[in-house]
């Protein structure tokens, strides 16, 4: 499972960085979204991967088999913030598209 | 628990309440918004002043949210450094707000709430003692700054805003990666709790922790606009509305603050010092080139921000308490002076065409002379221009570091401390320190040349003399910031003593750690 998660994060980061370096604003926002998914998965994995373990422990006997709740709380916050900033970025992106008349990130087409 | 103990959270709650209460007010209730915003900013200034007074005695005030004991709950910490940053922010915010009241707050919607949310994010970032909350407050201030950077709209702002947002979103992801990696290795997010845990870290985990710290540092360097991560800054600051650019002058200092705080607390200046020094020197150099190359006054001001960032980063990297004390004085002076400069630039540029700048530089390059020199003899300089010119001279003296203003004291203290550090070889490699010394002087010279040239073209021999219409409320904030710098000159002794104590406390984080982790019983009601 560790290998699978690591590969998934790596693939997401790789595609995210590649898209981030592309010249079109749509590619930019998809790249940023992919990157944020990868980062969210990474935060989640930092609490160690555990199967069938509860984050809230009631009795001391359960303490041997539980999952760290803090990264789960962190990832929730990160998702909310990432969602809001992506929405905001989308608005700026559309405004730029409308004002510049092109979806190039520099606001003008490169000379052919 | 007396009401005074809640003072520490006031700089976060006050802007939050003010900003939130202004949101539902429509555009027609502008006067009410102005009053609310002014009151909140003034109250912020008052509370920051009181917190600084409290911190000056050396107490580290710890505010435990929900009275949870430290490593588990979230803490706010007010020590000398935090209180200092709060105070600088409040002064700058008051000046920018006053300036915006003349006309800038009307050019777009939601200026007032966004302004308060920006203050909330800034204050939160300075106060928090928790890594994840640092990220949250960074996001709060960045989201507000995205809105403010676009304030007034227009093609140029949206264009610069797009780049600014993209770069900072990517940097925030790096910040998150660093924070979670550090949590994964050490199991805590509390800054004070991290420091003692590092000592017991297994050697296999140390590399992981250091990569987390490096990611975190990279994210902060992006915010501080260090080379090569700072190309977003010039466009954004030059394009932003003047009062917004003035508040942004403190924003690049948030990255510097975070590095100073965390690097000295966690790394104990044995990790990446040479890198930080080299990056600082490179930033200083690139900023200097930018200052010399700038044709537009706003761009010149933005390049001065880079110079200031580079100087600070390099100074912090020396890891010497005396140098950092002087650097903090430089931070305060340069932030206030840059704020005043951004405001002044807008006043001076008002009613001028952008082509005039380029024309002036071209004329200088080709050595063309004025034909109508005889006619200009005897033309009196209008009072407005004289006042603006005087303020410009004040800003220039501060930014270059010439006597008699505080800029000189800052530069002098820096050079003095650096010479002292060279004598003792305290963690600074001599070659780099000499390079830094030389570059510091050369960058002052470059700033002097660029500002003199700009001042001559703008105030003494303008191609198309146009006297801008300036209102008192626009001149007052510039005067306020310059007066604050003048006060720093007059009371340089107490200020430097406070800052030296700040730097010494940063180098002996034991007090900070004990205050945060210490007996939680004292804080329970």
């Amino acid at each position: 499972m560790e290998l699978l998660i690591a590969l998934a994060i790596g693939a997401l980061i790789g595609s995210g960085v590649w898209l981030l370096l592309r010249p079109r604003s749509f590619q930019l926002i998809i790249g940023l979204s992919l990157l944020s998914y990868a980062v969210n998965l990474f935060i989640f994995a930092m609490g160690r991967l555990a199967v069938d373990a509860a984050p809230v422990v009631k009795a001391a006997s359960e303490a041997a088999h539980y999952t760290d709740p803090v990264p789960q709380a962190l990832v929730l916050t990160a998702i909310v913030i990432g969602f809001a900033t992506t929405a905001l970025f989308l608005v700026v992106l559309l405004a730029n598209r409308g004002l510049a008349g092109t979806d190039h990130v520099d606001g003008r087409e490169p000379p052919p | 628990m007396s009401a005074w103990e809640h003072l520490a959270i006031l700089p976060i709650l006050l802007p939050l309440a003010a900003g939130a209460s202004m949101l539902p007010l429509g555009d027609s209730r502008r006067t009410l918004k102005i009053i609310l915003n002014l009151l909140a900013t003034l109250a912020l200034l008052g509370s920051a002043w009181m917190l600084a007074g409290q911190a000056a005695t050396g107490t580290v005030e710890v505010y435990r949210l929900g009275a949870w004991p430290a490593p588990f709950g979230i803490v706010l910490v007010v020590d000398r450094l935090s209180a200092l940053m709060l105070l600088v922010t409040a002064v700058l915010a008051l000046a920018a707000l006053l300036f915006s009241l003349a006309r800038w707050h009307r050019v777009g919607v939601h200026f007032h709430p966004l302004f308060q949310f920006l203050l909330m994010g800034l204050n939160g970032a300075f106060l928090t003692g928790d890594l994840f909350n640092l990220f949250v407050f960074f996001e709060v201030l960045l989201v507000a700054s995205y809105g403010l950077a676009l304030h007034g709209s227009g093609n140029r702002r949206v264009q610069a805003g797009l780049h600014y947002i993209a770069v900072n979103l990517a940097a925030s992801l790096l910040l998150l990666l660093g924070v979670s990696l550090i949590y994964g290795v050490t199991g805590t997010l509390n800054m004070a709790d991290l420091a003692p845990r590092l000592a017991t870290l297994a050697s296999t985990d140390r590399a992981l922790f250091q990569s987390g710290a490096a990611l975190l540092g990279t994210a902060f360097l992006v915010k501080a606009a260090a080379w090569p991560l700072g190309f977003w800054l010039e466009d954004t600051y030059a394009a932003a509305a003047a009062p917004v650019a003035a508040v942004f002058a403190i924003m690049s200092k948030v990255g510097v603050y975070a590095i100073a705080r965390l690097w000295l607390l966690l790394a104990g200046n044995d990790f990446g010092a040479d890198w930080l020094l080299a990056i600082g020197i490179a930033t200083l150099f690139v900023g200097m080139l930018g200052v010399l190359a700038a044709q537009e006054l706003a761009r010149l001001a933005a390049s001065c921000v880079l110079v200031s960032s580079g100087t600070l980063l390099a100074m912090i990297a020396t890891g010497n308490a005396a140098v950092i004390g002087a650097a903090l004085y430089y931070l305060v002076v340069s932030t206030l002076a840059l704020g005043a400069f951004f405001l002044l630039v807008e006043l001076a540029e008002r009613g001028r065409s952008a082509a005039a700048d380029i024309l002036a530089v071209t004329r200088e390059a080709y050595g063309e002379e004025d034909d109508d020199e005889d006619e200009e003899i005897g033309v009196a300089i209008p009072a407005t221009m004289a006042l603006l010119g005087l303020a410009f001279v004040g800003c220039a003296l501060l930014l270059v570091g010439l006597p008699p203003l505080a800029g000189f004291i800052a530069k002098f203290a820096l050079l003095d401390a650096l010479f002292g550090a060279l004598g003792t070889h305290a963690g600074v490699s001599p070659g780099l320190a000499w390079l830094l010394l030389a570059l510091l002087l050369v960058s002052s010279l470059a700033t002097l040349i660029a500002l003199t040239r700009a001042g001559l073209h703008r105030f003494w021999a303008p191609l198309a003399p146009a006297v801008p219409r300036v209102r008192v409320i626009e001149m007052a904030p510039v005067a306020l910031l310059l007066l604050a710098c003048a006060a720093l000159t007059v009371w340089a002794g107490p200020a430097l003593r406070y800052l030296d104590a700040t730097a010494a406390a940063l180098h002996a984080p034991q007090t900070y750690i004990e205050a945060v982790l210490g007996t939680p019983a004292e804080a329970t009601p």
Side-chain angles (χ1 to χ4, degrees):
Chain A
M1 189 167 63
E2 279 81 1
L3 186 66
L4 189 66
I5 293 274
L7 282 176
I9 295 175
L12 282 172
I13 292 260
S15 355
V17 168
W18 191 75
L19 282 175
L20 199 63
L21 300 174
R22 302 295 300 159
R24 303 286 152 196
S25 48
F26 182 69
Q27 293 166 319
L28 183 60
I29 197 164
I30 296 295
L32 279 172
S33 306
L34 288 184
L35 277 178
S36 81
Y37 300 152
V39 170
N40 289 340
L41 269 178
F42 182 81
I43 303 175
F44 197 66
M46 275 300 115
R48 308 295 184 270
L49 300 172
V51 178
D52 197 20
V56 182
V57 185
K58 282 183 186 146
S61 57
E62 292 176 53
H65 189 66
Y66 88 114
T67 179
D68 193 345
V70 177
Q72 302 187 5
L74 300 188
V75 89
L76 210 59
T77 318
I79 288 172
V80 173
I81 291 177
F83 179 67
T85 47
T86 307
L88 194 132
F89 189 55
L90 201 56
V91 174
V92 178
L93 195 150
L94 286 176
N96 189 50
R97 171 77 181 78
L99 283 170
T102 162
D103 65 345
H104 195 278
V105 285
D106 286 335
R108 57 176 183 273
E109 291 295 328
Chain B
M1 194 181 223
S2 74
W4 284 116
E5 285 180 54
H6 293 290
L7 187 65
I9 202 174
L10 202 63
I12 297 174
L13 283 188
L14 200 68
L16 174 64
S21 63
M22 277 187 279
L23 270 183
L25 296 178
D27 224 24
S28 54
R29 314 278 293 276
R30 204 171 274 142
T31 325
L32 186 59
K33 282 194 200 174
I34 292 175
I35 293 171
L36 267 175
N37 204 346
L38 265 180
L39 281 180
T41 313
L42 279 173
L44 194 64
L45 185 61
S47 60
W49 181 255
M50 281 165 67
L51 282 173
Q54 218 172 55
T57 58
T59 51
V60 179
E61 167 103 2
V62 180
Y63 186 86
R64 294 177 171 80
L65 285 139
W68 283 85
F72 309 110
I74 291 166
V75 291
L76 302 177
V77 187
V78 191
D79 64 348
R80 287 194 185 91
L81 183 59
S82 306
L84 170 79
M85 299 305 285
L86 286 182
L87 196 57
V88 176
T89 311
V91 172
L92 203 61
L94 184 64
L97 179 62
L98 280 178
F99 187 90
S100 75
L101 294 184
R103 57 184 230 175
W104 277 108
H105 75 120
R106 267 178 273 139
V107 301
V109 286
H110 296 312
F111 174 78
H112 294 288
L114 283 173
F115 189 82
Q116 286 295 330
F117 289 138
L118 180 69
L119 290 184
M120 175 195 165
L122 283 168
N123 292 340
F126 292 139
L127 282 175
T128 184
D130 181 279
L131 273 185
F132 195 76
N133 268 43
L134 189 65
F135 162 75
V136 172
F137 282 119
F138 258 111
E139 285 306 304
V140 171
L141 84 90
L142 283 175
V143 168
S145 81
Y146 300 155
L148 285 176
L150 297 173
H151 182 70
S153 196
N155 207 348
R156 190 180 171 197
R157 290 203 181 105
V158 173
Q159 189 56 57
L162 184 78
H163 294 177
Y164 171 61
I165 298 176
V167 169
N168 276 293
L169 284 182
S172 298
L173 293 176
L174 284 181
L175 186 59
L176 261 183
L177 278 180
V179 167
S180 56
L181 198 54
I182 287 179
Y183 177 79
V185 176
T186 61
T188 183
L189 287 167
N190 190 301
M191 295 182 199
D193 195 25
L194 267 175
R197 283 198 195 201
L198 287 185
T200 59
L201 210 58
S203 57
T204 43
D205 284 347
R206 192 155 283 274
L208 270 180
F209 171 78
Q210 287 186 343
S211 29
L215 281 172
L216 214 57
T218 312
F220 294 143
L221 285 176
V222 173
K223 318 277 175 189
W227 185 85
L229 308 165
F231 292 110
W232 55 269
L233 185 133
E234 286 195 23
D235 281 329
T236 314
Y237 282 35
V244 174
V247 206
F248 279 12
I250 187 88
M251 242 175 48
S252 58
K253 304 293 182 292
V254 183
V256 175
Y257 161 84
I259 287 176
R261 163 80 75 203
L262 285 173
W263 189 60
L264 292 172
L265 181 66
L266 301 184
N269 62 31
D270 61 348
F271 169 64
D274 284 340
W275 277 97
L276 195 57
L277 191 54
I279 287 172
I281 289 176
T283 313
L284 181 56
F285 186 71
V286 170
M288 188 181 86
L289 291 187
V291 166
L292 282 177
Q295 303 195 344
E296 209 185 324
L297 266 183
R299 224 161 230 291
L300 177 62
S303 300
C304 286
V305 176
L306 285 185
V307 170
S308 160
S309 268
T311 311
L312 285 169
L313 288 175
M315 291 299 164
I316 289 169
T318 60
N320 181 297
V323 179
I324 292 178
L328 288 174
Y329 187 77
Y330 175 78
L331 185 151
V332 177
V333 172
S334 69
T335 308
L336 295 179
L338 281 170
F341 195 46
F342 273 116
L343 298 180
L344 196 63
V345 163
E346 200 269 330
L347 294 180
E349 293 282 295
R350 202 171 274 180
R352 288 171 45 88
S353 64
D357 292 324
I358 298 165
L359 204 58
V361 173
T362 331
R363 191 177 60 157
E364 191 179 74
Y366 291 102
E368 276 179 45
E369 289 299 320
D370 273 330
D371 301 329
D372 52 352
E373 236 170 286
D374 299 333
E375 290 171 33
E376 292 199 1
I377 293 174
V379 176
I381 300 177
T384 319
M385 278 320 253
L387 268 179
L388 287 179
L390 269 182
F392 186 86
V393 169
C395 280
L397 288 182
L398 284 167
L399 290 173
V400 176
L402 285 176
L405 285 178
F408 172 69
I409 300 177
K411 280 271 161 74
F412 187 79
L414 275 179
L415 293 177
D416 182 47
L418 258 184
F419 271 120
L422 271 176
T424 56
H425 292 291
V428 200
S429 65
L432 278 176
W434 279 111
L435 182 63
L436 180 57
L437 255 173
L439 211 53
L440 206 62
L441 293 173
V442 175
S443 76
S444 291
L445 179 68
T447 318
L448 179 66
I449 293 172
L451 285 174
T452 313
R453 189 176 64 187
L456 281 180
H457 284 313
R458 207 62 85 247
F459 298 103
W460 253 355
L463 271 186
V467 180
R469 296 163 62 86
V470 174
R471 292 168 59 187
V472 178
I473 198 168
E474 290 173 311
M475 216 39 220
V478 179
L480 171 78
L481 288 175
L482 290 179
L483 278 179
C485 287
L488 272 175
T489 320
V490 176
W491 285 288
L496 273 172
R497 266 199 297 283
Y498 179 95
L499 295 170
D500 280 336
T502 311
L506 282 177
H507 276 269
Q510 211 51 42
T511 332
Y512 179 90
I513 294 167
E514 274 167 17
V516 175
L517 296 182
T519 49
E522 60 190 82
T524 44

